[in-house]
């Protein structure tokens, strides 16, 4: 695969016919500063962009030890990442979350890799390696970014080749048997051609141990490869190519932990653990399902080309290809007893092309017009396995009543007596879904500079979308002895492949103004409309369901400033949005299905600030308040999931000279208030189910407010040829949840997933 990426890259470089957008200037070491962003499809200083945006350059990411997107979310107001694992990350911006897995899913928070949309959740969370910058844009961004940027976008940009020959090597090691190795080579081939390539390997044991001593859960074993090429044959013509390849391959799976049933030794019946979500347990699949694991491969290629036609016009093309294959298995009842297990695989292949004409100094106007096409072919296979004998007691409510000890599988069989002989030790349901998606967009955004201090802007995007869907439900080992069909996943009639097709169109837009109060203080206001297109949902045994378009209307106003010669940089904003037809999962007539939660609204305030007190001493901080609530229907008054009302971070970088070099200390503390993991907020009145044993009797599927402390100490010699750093995360070893509920919640036996524990590592880097 790596040879394929390298050879393909050279071929594309040789065949390029256009010119890449100018490279953004490097970011300073403090948060914010004079960082240059491209959120409005042109290079701008962040304080001149009339929208809420947080951006971080490579220097700042190194300063805070930012090797994970979750570290970026910790310091960004209004941005939360729920990271139970890389297969199922949840991205939330101002309370609106995306973590859906169906092949046709439209994410509410878009992720972009070098200008190319990442539309499937299972491939959205990759390695932050050799990064130039990360931009987090909040509010409806459909006009600027299209595909699923309903309420924001996260844009990741790789470093591009520079004119200097360099080699960067880094190695690290830490607790939980952590180690990392990485290398980057920057090679200027000629005056017009440069290439850059790198490789990364990271490995770490998981934070929850297996009670039998055989391993851990939620471990890390990742590889990442990066290639960048830049060709500039003339001053008006260049081409940039980015190719990425990520591999994850871990054993152990997700640490689903039951707080209903104690873990039991299946041979002796002895209790081998407790109900705390961070302590050892034993989890495994059974039957034909593979042991818990996670394997994923992602290939991404982005070719950005730009041709400067004249001083006023430039033509930009972004061509994208992305392929991924991800599989995971696990024990989602959270106990050593064989109840329920799963094996899920998602895959996808997509192509995209965007062509954009940028213009400036056309009278008082600047902006862009363009069009794009996107095509994807996505698939998912979900297998659910059960021990029918255990499920007979679970579905009847007997097993829940035996909590907290529960039963071993041998005790379950003994309790059933002769009835156990007619039930299967392993029953398998399977559901295979697919979606072919084709989308066309036309878009435009124009800024009018009415005076030297006042500008108005407006933009719109029209989208035409077609989806062809397939659904097949199977019981590969025959129908269930309990139901005569499937248990949690129902077979389609005669195991037939159901098909459906749906076409839709949407128009989104934004309008606003920016006013220069002074040359270094900007006021802005913007109104935007974002939409998530309607979706046709196929069902195995009932008619197809058309899920209506979700609509978000947002109003925002703010101030951005750059004072004291650029040493003090920050912004503050207030916003209000209204949401219609919010779709989520819930119980409908006893079946897990899409539920229209109706209307919601939110009012919020966000601020961020960085201040360089003296050369070598800087501080930064951020705060976000987001009061997001449902306003109608089943969840009236509830909080959005993954949406704390309050969130703040504070940190700094303090440098001091030492003999032969400089030592730097960079502490960071982040905190967020109480957060629920599902829109029902674990309310007991919404947990009343039939039979009554399914009802969740305890309100515990939330995470109370908590804070995390991290720090980095670095020594760099005067010649800056090498560095040594000590890095620590969650230094107080705070025990917190990243998810709760899951499959077991529908049977009154919710499971809980622990967050990361205290980690520390040493890193040594050298540059040639």
């Amino acid at each position: 695969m790596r040879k394929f990426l390298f050879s393909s890259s050279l071929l594309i470089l040789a065949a390029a016919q256009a010119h890449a957008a100018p490279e953004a200037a490097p970011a300073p070491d403090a948060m914010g500063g004079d960082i240059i962003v491209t959120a409005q499809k042109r290079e701008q200083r962040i304080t001149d962009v009339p929208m809420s945006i947080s951006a971080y350059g490579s220097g700042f990411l190194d300063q805070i030890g930012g090797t994970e997107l979750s570290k970026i979310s910790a310091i960004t107001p209004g941005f939360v990442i729920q990271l139970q694992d890389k297969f199922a990350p949840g991205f939330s911006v101002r309370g609106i979350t995306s973590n859906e897995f169906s092949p046709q899913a439209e994410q509410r928070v878009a992720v972009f890799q070098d200008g190319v949309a990442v539309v499937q959740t299972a491939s959205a969370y990759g390695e932050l390696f050799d990064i130039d910058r990360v931009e987090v844009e909040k509010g409806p961004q459909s006009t600027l970014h299209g595909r699923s940027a309903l309420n924001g976008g996260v844009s990741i940009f790789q470093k591009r080749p520079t004119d200097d020959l360099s080699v960067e090597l880094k190695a690290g090691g830490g607790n939980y048997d952590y180690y990392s190795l990485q290398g980057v080579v920057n090679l200027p081939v000629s005056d017009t051609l440069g290439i850059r390539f790198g490789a990364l390997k990271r490995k770490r044991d998981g934070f929850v141990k297996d009670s039998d001593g055989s391993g851990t859960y939620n471990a890390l074993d990742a590889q990442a490869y990066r290639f960048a090429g830049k060709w500039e044959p003339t001053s008006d013509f260049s081409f940039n190519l980015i190719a990425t390849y990520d591999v994850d391959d871990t054993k152990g799976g997700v640490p689903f932990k039951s707080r209903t049933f104690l873990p039991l030794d299946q041979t002796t019946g002895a209790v081998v653990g407790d109900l705390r979500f961070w302590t050892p347990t034993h989890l495994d699949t059974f039957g034909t399902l593979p042991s818990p694991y996670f394997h994923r491969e992602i290939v991404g290629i982005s070719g950005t080309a730009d041709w400067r036609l004249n001083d006023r016009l430039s033509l930009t093309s972004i061509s994208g290809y992305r392929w991924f294959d991800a599989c995971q298995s696990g024990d989602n009842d959270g106990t050593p007893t064989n109840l329920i297990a799963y094996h899920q695989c998602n895959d996808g292949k997509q192509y995209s092309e965007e062509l954009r004409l940028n213009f400036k100094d056309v009278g008082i106007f600047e902006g862009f017009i363009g069009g794009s096409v996107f095509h994807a072919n996505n698939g998912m296979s979900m297998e659910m396995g059960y021990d029918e004998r255990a499920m007979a007691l679970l579905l009847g409510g007997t097993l829940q009543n035996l909590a907290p000890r529960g039963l071993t599988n041998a005790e379950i069989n003994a309790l059933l007596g002769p009835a156990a002989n007619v039930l299967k030790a392993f029953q398998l349901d399977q559901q295979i879904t697919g979606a072919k998606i084709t989308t066309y967009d036309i878009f435009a955004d124009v800024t009018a500079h009415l005076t030297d201090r006042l500008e108005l802007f407006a933009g719109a995007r029209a989208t035409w979308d077609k989806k062809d869907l397939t659904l097949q439900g199977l019981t590969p080992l025959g129908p269930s002895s309990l139901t005569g069909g499937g248990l949690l996943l129902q077979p389609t009639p005669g195991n037939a492949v159901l098909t459906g097709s749906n076409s839709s169109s949407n128009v989104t837009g934004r309008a606003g103004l920016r006013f220069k109060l002074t040359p270094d203080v900007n006021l802005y206001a913007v109104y935007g409309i974002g939409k998530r297109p309607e979706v046709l949902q196929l069902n195995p045994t009932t008619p197809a369901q058309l899920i209506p378009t979700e609509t978000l209307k947002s109003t925002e106003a703010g101030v951005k400033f750059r004072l004291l010669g650029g040493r003090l940089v920050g912004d503050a904003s207030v916003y209000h949005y209204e949401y219609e037809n919010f779709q989520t999962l819930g119980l409908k007539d006893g079946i897990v299905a899409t539920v229209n939660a109706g209307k919601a609204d939110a009012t919020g305030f966000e601020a961020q600030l960085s201040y360089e007190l003296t050369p070598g001493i800087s501080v930064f901080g951020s705060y976000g308040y987001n009061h997001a609530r449902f306003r109608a229907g089943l969840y009236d008054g509830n909080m959005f999931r993954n949406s704390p009302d309050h969130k703040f971070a504070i940190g700094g970088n303090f440098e001091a000279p030492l003999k032969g070099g400089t030592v730097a200390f960079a502490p960071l503390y982040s905190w967020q208030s109480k957060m629920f993991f599902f829109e029902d907020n674990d309310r007991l009145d919404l947990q009343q189910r039939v039979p009554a044993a399914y009802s969740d009797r305890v309100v515990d599927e939330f995470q109370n407010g908590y804070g995390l402390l991290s720090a980095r100490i670095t020594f760099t010699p005067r010649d800056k040829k090498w560095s040594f750093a000590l890095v620590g995360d969650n230094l107080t070893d705070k025990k917190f949840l990243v998810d709760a509920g899951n499959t077991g919640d529908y049977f009154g036996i919710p499971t809980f997933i622990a967050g990361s524990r205290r980690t520390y590592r040493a890193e040594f880097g050298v540059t040639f």
Side-chain angles (χ1 to χ4, degrees):
M1 180 61 70
R2 296 191 293 275
K3 292 179 179 178
F4 167 78
L5 286 174
F6 184 74
S7 59
S8 299
S9 302
L10 294 180
L11 287 173
I12 295 175
L13 281 168
Q17 295 289 323
H19 177 83
E23 184 176 351
D29 287 340
M31 183 175 73
D34 283 327
I35 189 169
I36 303 298
V37 298
T38 54
Q40 294 195 121
K41 307 294 188 182
R42 59 184 183 270
E43 289 188 348
Q44 292 177 286
R45 200 169 60 187
I46 192 171
T47 49
D48 292 335
V49 179
M51 58 189 284
S52 182
I53 177 174
S54 302
Y56 312 98
S58 59
F60 179 74
L61 295 177
D62 287 342
Q63 172 187 309
I64 65 171
T67 59
E68 298 269 356
L69 273 175
S70 56
K71 178 67 75 73
I72 291 175
S73 74
I75 63 175
T76 304
F79 182 36
V80 174
I81 291 182
Q82 178 200 26
L83 187 64
Q84 72 173 41
D85 64 358
K86 289 183 177 181
F87 189 87
F91 292 79
S92 176
V93 172
R94 292 178 174 174
I96 295 186
T97 300
S98 287
N99 65 346
E100 297 181 56
F101 291 95
S102 71
Q104 62 168 323
E106 293 285 347
Q107 302 305 316
R108 299 183 179 97
V109 178
V111 178
F112 296 89
Q113 177 71 56
D114 297 293
V116 176
V118 181
V119 299
Q120 288 287 289
T121 297
S123 68
Y125 196 98
E127 291 294 311
L128 281 190
F129 168 52
D130 202 32
I131 294 296
D132 176 68
R133 70 189 188 280
V134 177
E135 301 177 9
V136 182
E137 299 140 11
K138 288 159 277 187
Q141 303 299 334
S142 304
T143 302
L144 295 174
H145 298 301
R147 292 228 65 87
S148 305
L150 172 73
N151 193 41
V154 181
S155 297
I156 303 167
F157 298 92
Q158 294 293 134
K159 286 185 177 179
R160 295 176 176 179
T162 64
D163 295 332
D164 300 318
L165 174 64
S166 65
V167 178
E168 303 170 19
L169 302 175
K170 184 181 291 187
N175 64 335
Y176 292 97
D177 287 335
Y178 173 86
Y179 75 84
S180 66
L181 299 169
Q182 69 180 65
V184 178
V185 177
N186 190 89
L187 180 62
V189 179
S190 67
D191 292 340
T192 61
L193 178 64
I195 61 175
R196 183 182 183 94
F197 52 89
L200 167 72
K201 169 72 173 179
R202 290 203 305 149
K203 192 171 183 178
R204 188 209 65 224
D205 288 343
F207 302 114
V208 177
K209 294 182 179 181
D210 195 307
S211 58
D212 69 5
S214 63
T216 61
Y217 303 101
N218 216 12
L220 169 70
D221 191 349
Q223 301 174 55
Y225 303 92
R226 304 290 184 253
F227 173 84
K230 181 172 68 173
W231 185 36
E232 294 184 339
T234 72
S235 60
D236 294 330
F237 169 69
S238 68
F239 180 83
N240 281 271
L241 179 78
I242 303 290
T244 65
Y245 177 50
D246 286 58
V247 182
D248 294 276
D249 193 5
T250 61
K251 305 298 181 184
V254 181
F256 294 106
K257 185 74 182 289
S258 177
R259 290 169 75 173
T260 304
F261 296 119
L262 290 161
L264 303 178
D265 184 295
Q266 292 298 296
T267 302
T268 66
V271 175
V272 294
D274 55 43
L275 299 179
R276 295 177 295 178
F277 58 82
W278 63 88
T279 57
T281 188
H282 178 69
L283 302 174
D284 202 357
T285 58
F286 54 99
T288 62
L289 298 178
S291 295
Y293 80 105
F294 169 49
H295 181 83
R296 182 182 68 171
E297 296 182 54
I298 307 171
V299 174
I301 299 177
S302 171
T304 303
D306 178 59
W307 182 17
R308 192 174 72 90
L309 303 176
N310 53 46
D311 290 340
R312 296 182 177 181
L313 302 175
S314 64
L315 189 64
T316 300
S317 168
I318 302 176
S319 303
Y321 169 80
R322 193 169 181 87
W323 170 92
F324 82 97
D325 187 271
C327 289
Q328 183 185 76
S329 64
D331 184 354
N332 48 359
D333 60 63
T335 75
T337 303
N338 292 344
L339 296 174
I340 309 170
Y342 74 97
H343 182 221
Q344 179 179 350
C345 289
N346 283 60
D347 64 86
K349 182 188 297 182
Q350 68 178 61
Y351 308 88
S352 61
E353 173 62 34
E354 177 180 305
L355 189 63
R356 185 178 74 245
L357 179 68
N358 279 60
F359 56 88
K360 63 179 181 179
D361 299 327
V362 180
I364 62 172
F365 299 105
E366 71 171 321
F368 58 84
I369 58 174
S372 65
V373 60
F374 173 91
H375 179 76
N377 192 346
N378 303 320
M380 181 177 77
S381 172
M382 171 63 82
E383 295 178 299
M384 299 289 290
Y386 327 88
D387 186 316
E388 286 191 343
R389 299 163 300 185
M391 290 298 289
L393 296 185
L394 185 71
L395 296 175
T398 300
L399 198 59
Q400 293 91 328
N401 291 330
L402 296 174
R405 183 185 180 277
L407 300 174
T408 66
N409 284 106
E411 291 169 339
I412 288 172
N413 297 340
L415 182 62
L416 286 171
N421 297 326
V422 299
L423 299 176
K424 298 179 183 178
F426 183 71
Q427 168 64 22
L428 186 66
D429 294 346
Q430 184 178 22
Q431 191 171 89
I432 302 171
T433 54
K436 292 183 179 180
I437 305 170
T438 302
T439 302
Y440 300 95
D441 293 89
I442 57 173
F443 51 85
D445 196 84
V446 179
T447 298
H449 300 277
L450 301 182
T451 71
D452 292 340
R453 302 173 65 184
L454 177 64
E455 66 183 38
L456 303 180
F457 59 88
R461 179 180 292 257
T463 301
W464 294 268
D465 202 67
K466 183 181 180 182
K467 297 178 181 177
D468 296 313
L469 312 177
T470 59
L471 168 66
Q472 183 181 27
L474 303 169
T475 51
L477 303 180
S480 168
S481 301
L482 284 172
T483 66
L487 281 170
L488 299 186
L489 304 176
Q490 297 303 316
T492 50
N495 296 332
V497 178
L498 305 182
T499 62
S501 182
N502 183 62
S503 297
S504 63
S505 60
N506 279 312
V507 176
T508 57
R510 68 168 193 156
L513 61 87
R514 178 169 74 103
F515 179 72
K516 290 185 178 181
L517 191 64
T518 73
D520 294 318
V521 179
N522 288 297
L523 305 177
Y524 74 91
V526 59
Y527 176 78
I529 297 177
K531 293 183 180 180
R532 188 179 188 231
E534 65 185 27
V535 173
L536 181 66
Q537 178 174 288
L538 300 181
N539 302 306
T541 58
T542 59
Q545 176 186 7
L546 187 63
I547 301 172
T549 300
E550 296 181 13
T551 302
L552 175 68
K553 299 177 181 179
S554 173
T555 303
E556 179 182 313
V559 58
K560 296 190 172 190
F561 52 87
R562 178 181 180 273
L563 305 173
L564 303 178
R567 293 190 297 114
L568 178 63
V569 177
D571 62 72
S573 62
V574 294
Y575 62 87
H576 177 77
Y577 68 66
E578 297 181 354
Y579 209 112
E580 294 183 0
N581 292 326
F582 186 89
Q583 308 296 330
T584 186
L585 291 178
L587 279 184
K588 189 174 182 180
D589 299 326
I591 299 173
V592 179
T594 299
V595 174
N596 189 339
K599 295 184 177 182
D601 60 40
T603 301
F605 169 79
E606 295 173 353
Q608 48 193 1
L609 179 76
S610 67
Y611 180 32
E612 184 183 20
L613 287 80
T614 64
I617 300 179
S618 61
V619 295
F620 63 87
S622 66
Y623 170 72
Y625 169 70
N626 181 53
H627 187 79
R629 299 292 189 272
F630 290 98
R631 296 304 181 195
L634 192 64
Y635 300 137
D636 188 19
N638 283 12
M639 298 173 63
F640 275 41
R641 64 191 173 110
N642 304 336
S643 179
D645 282 352
H646 302 275
K647 187 171 181 283
F648 76 82
I650 186 169
N653 188 52
F654 307 93
E655 297 181 0
L658 286 182
K659 185 177 181 180
T662 302
V663 64
F665 175 57
L668 170 64
Y669 180 77
S670 60
W671 182 90
Q672 66 180 49
S673 60
K674 184 177 180 179
M675 182 177 75
F676 287 97
F677 297 106
F678 197 70
E679 278 84 8
D680 67 11
N681 287 190
D682 205 29
R683 282 169 38 190
L684 294 180
D685 61 314
L686 297 178
Q687 301 286 336
Q688 301 303 312
R689 297 166 183 166
V690 178
Y694 288 9
S695 301
D696 193 346
R697 304 163 190 175
V698 181
V699 179
D700 57 0
E701 294 166 34
F702 61 87
Q703 172 58 55
N704 275 321
Y706 70 98
L708 299 177
L709 175 66
S710 65
R712 179 185 176 94
I713 301 175
T714 308
F715 176 78
T716 308
R718 288 195 182 97
D719 62 9
K720 298 184 179 181
K721 293 297 185 180
W722 59 271
S723 65
F724 177 76
L726 297 175
V727 186
D729 290 310
N730 190 7
L731 290 172
T732 62
D733 202 23
K734 175 66 180 179
K735 302 172 183 67
F736 64 98
L737 288 168
V738 294
D739 198 9
N742 304 298
T743 302
D745 192 38
Y746 297 112
F747 304 97
I749 55 169
T751 55
F752 300 78
I753 301 175
S756 60
R757 300 292 298 275
R758 179 195 292 123
T759 62
Y760 48 84
R761 64 186 186 271
E763 296 178 343
F764 178 77
V766 60
T767 302
F768 301 99

